[in-house]
Amino acid sequence: MKTKLIGLLIACFAFSAFAQDKALLETLVKKGMLTQQEAAQIAKESVTVTPGSKETKSIKIKGGVAGWYSWQQNDLHASGSEPQTNGFTLRYVKVGVEAEVGAGWTVDVMTDFGSEGAARNYLDKVVISKDINLDYLTGKLDFGMQKVNFGQEQNECDFNQLAIERSVATYFFTRPTTGGPDDARKNFGSRAIGIFWNGTIAQVDGMYYGMSVTGGNSYEGEGFNYFNNSNDGNNNLSFYANVGYKNVANIQDQAIAYDFGVNFGYASGGYAVAQTAAGQVVGYENHSIWGVNPYASIKWKGLTVMGEFFAQGVEAGRNGIANANGESATPMGINATVAYKFDIGEWGFIEPVARYSWVQSNGVGIYGINDYDSVYGQPFDFAKQVYVGVNWYAAKAVKFSVGYEWAQLTGGEGGAQELNSTYNTIRAQIQIVF
């Protein structure tokens, strides 16, 4: 599959180059530098690449690459262990094709060959879209795999992140987690396969809304079945909705852009607990999750301020922490980010960034600060995290970043002793988009 996708993308690059050559020949004929016969002969001798359908109006190639260096030390208190990681990774390697085929129909395919996309079959987004513009119905209808509207930071483009890595709150509330007694699985948000609608209201300038119906489990993470079947809640549909308002206000001739809204979600099989017999998993008992996620952002001159709150209801979710009773849980969390971009002339822009995150799992259990930094399956009940860093935009498409992150997980239980774990992480990034 990976080889076929690469071949498709190479063909699209070749088609783009041919289209440019054809336009150049037409321009040279118009300027009298070539005759029509000479241009036809040159075109005849050139390799011709054409789209598979005559209806195709345009093809756009896009993507980007982000390479990381990470150093991290995790001090797991009470055990005396201090594991350390250190190395380089290609976190995002994205190449995509967006084609317009006429009458408002488009297809958007984005691949990701970096470490982030490996668990998703190297797919980042696959969507067939139809633009709709009626009197009272304006927006875009999508079918395929993409992110649902839940999590302000999660739905920000990977290449537009202010901090290098997403927060512990974003991972806990929008990504699948596996662990805990009887291999309990919490799965809510992020990428999913389904039908999506995102629209605007013509009568209220700046207001937007969305709705989606997706397969039960998201298209994320190892240990989860990608396509719908009866395992781990995949046979249970999930529903998401959102409403928001964004506009620009002028205060004393200063433009202030603002955006605020709230995301909702309900997954009838979002929390699956393994059922065992003779020490073997024989099936899963599915439980529901509901979630609410209000958010707001303000941009003024070089200043950006973003904040969001998470709350979820997890049926039978108090399984993660020892001595929990299996009752329903209500975890909560926050993200708060501030950044200021300074113009430094011919050197580009410098942008200091700070972010604070907090999670209270209410017995569900937190198993690490993200998908890649774990604590050996040990669950904790609370998490707090502080990130400080700086981004340097050397050019519009080129960004260098470096940042320090401190995180602490507390409320873990190991026998008669409470556990806590502290992370110290340094990350550096180089990123180019096209």
Side-chain angles (χ1 to χ4, degrees):
M1 179 179 181
K2 184 175 177 181
T3 304
K4 292 180 179 178
L5 286 171
I6 293 175
L8 171 64
L9 295 172
I10 291 173
C12 290
F13 275 116
F15 170 74
S16 177
F18 167 73
Q20 293 175 0
D21 290 344
K22 184 179 179 181
L24 176 60
L25 290 174
E26 291 175 351
T27 300
L28 292 175
V29 170
K30 288 180 181 179
K31 290 183 176 292
M33 301 177 70
L34 288 176
T35 67
Q36 189 67 50
Q37 184 178 2
E38 289 172 334
Q41 182 62 31
I42 293 173
K44 184 178 179 181
E45 295 173 355
S46 301
V47 176
T48 302
V49 180
T50 60
S53 171
K54 295 180 180 179
E55 302 302 319
T56 301
K57 304 299 182 183
S58 66
I59 296 179
K60 180 169 68 175
I61 309 297
K62 56 186 178 179
V65 176
W68 287 11
Y69 166 78
S70 299
W71 175 91
Q72 182 182 90
Q73 185 178 65
N74 168 223
D75 177 13
L76 184 58
H77 294 195
S79 72
S81 63
E82 294 187 3
Q84 194 176 102
T85 58
N86 179 38
F88 294 88
T89 183
L90 288 173
R91 184 58 182 276
Y92 306 112
V93 182
K94 297 190 179 186
V95 182
V97 179
E98 184 176 348
E100 180 186 350
V101 297
W105 288 94
T106 59
V107 60
D108 191 355
V109 178
M110 178 65 75
T111 61
D112 185 358
F113 299 111
S115 59
E116 172 77 358
R120 297 193 303 267
N121 248 358
Y122 303 104
L123 293 176
D124 185 74
K125 180 180 181 181
V126 181
V127 171
I128 298 170
S129 304
K130 176 67 170 76
D131 289 328
I132 296 176
N133 190 2
L134 303 175
D135 290 341
Y136 298 100
L137 193 65
T138 303
K140 186 166 70 170
L141 183 66
D142 299 330
F143 172 78
M145 186 270 287
Q146 64 180 354
K147 292 180 182 179
V148 302
N149 288 321
F150 197 86
Q152 180 188 49
E153 187 182 56
Q154 171 64 5
N155 278 275
E156 192 75 38
C157 171
D158 293 327
F159 297 121
N160 292 341
Q161 294 294 315
L162 293 174
I164 297 176
E165 173 63 293
R166 290 179 170 89
S167 75
V168 61
T170 295
Y171 272 90
F172 179 82
F173 288 102
T174 69
R175 298 285 189 101
T177 58
T178 303
D182 298 324
D183 192 26
R185 300 185 174 196
K186 177 175 172 290
N187 194 352
F188 189 87
S190 198
R191 294 170 180 83
I193 302 174
I195 300 173
F196 308 81
W197 167 259
N198 289 287
T200 58
I201 299 177
Q203 292 76 12
V204 184
D205 184 33
M207 181 167 285
Y208 59 92
Y209 69 100
M211 296 174 286
S212 61
V213 181
T214 72
N217 280 349
S218 67
Y219 198 86
E220 292 276 6
E222 296 181 5
F224 291 91
N225 228 323
Y226 295 135
F227 302 102
N228 275 350
N229 56 45
S230 59
N231 294 330
D232 307 343
N234 274 343
N235 205 36
N236 299 65
L237 294 178
S238 297
F239 305 88
Y240 297 89
N242 68 285
V243 62
Y245 184 83
K246 59 182 177 181
N247 217 320
V248 177
N250 287 301
I251 300 177
Q252 296 182 347
D253 296 328
Q254 296 291 331
I256 301 177
Y258 58 91
D259 183 0
F260 61 89
V262 60
N263 300 313
F264 306 92
Y266 175 79
S268 58
Y271 189 66
V273 179
Q275 305 300 298
T276 61
Q280 301 293 321
V281 176
V282 295
Y284 285 84
E285 184 176 275
N286 297 319
H287 300 279
S288 65
I289 296 179
W290 59 261
V292 60
N293 169 226
Y295 60 89
S297 68
I298 295 175
K299 294 184 179 182
W300 173 67
K301 293 186 176 180
L303 177 67
T304 299
V305 179
M306 302 171 62
E308 63 180 325
F309 172 78
F310 295 97
Q312 287 181 344
V314 186
E315 184 184 16
R318 292 181 59 83
N319 281 299
I321 304 301
N323 302 321
N325 53 19
E327 294 179 351
S328 295
T330 310
M332 295 182 290
I334 61 171
N335 281 324
T337 306
V338 60
Y340 196 94
K341 185 181 289 187
F342 296 90
D343 188 343
I344 54 175
E346 64 181 12
W347 290 92
F349 293 87
I350 289 289
E351 183 180 47
V353 178
R355 183 190 65 201
Y356 175 76
S357 302
W358 171 84
V359 177
Q360 183 261 95
S361 82
N362 197 220
V364 174
I366 305 164
Y367 294 88
I369 59 176
N370 55 49
D371 285 349
Y372 307 95
D373 306 313
S374 64
V375 283
Y376 316 111
Q378 170 66 46
F380 297 84
D381 206 17
F382 299 92
K384 51 188 175 181
Q385 183 182 54
V386 176
Y387 172 89
V388 290
V390 61
N391 301 318
W392 172 36
Y393 301 86
K396 188 174 183 180
V398 181
K399 180 170 74 172
F400 296 87
S401 305
V402 63
Y404 167 74
E405 184 179 271
W406 175 89
Q408 187 175 69
L409 305 181
T410 59
E413 297 182 11
Q417 188 172 15
E418 180 176 301
L419 299 179
N420 59 82
S421 181
T422 301
Y423 290 85
N424 288 283
T425 306
I426 296 174
R427 289 190 178 93
Q429 171 187 252
I430 179 172
Q431 171 184 294
I432 294 181
V433 296
F434 59 86

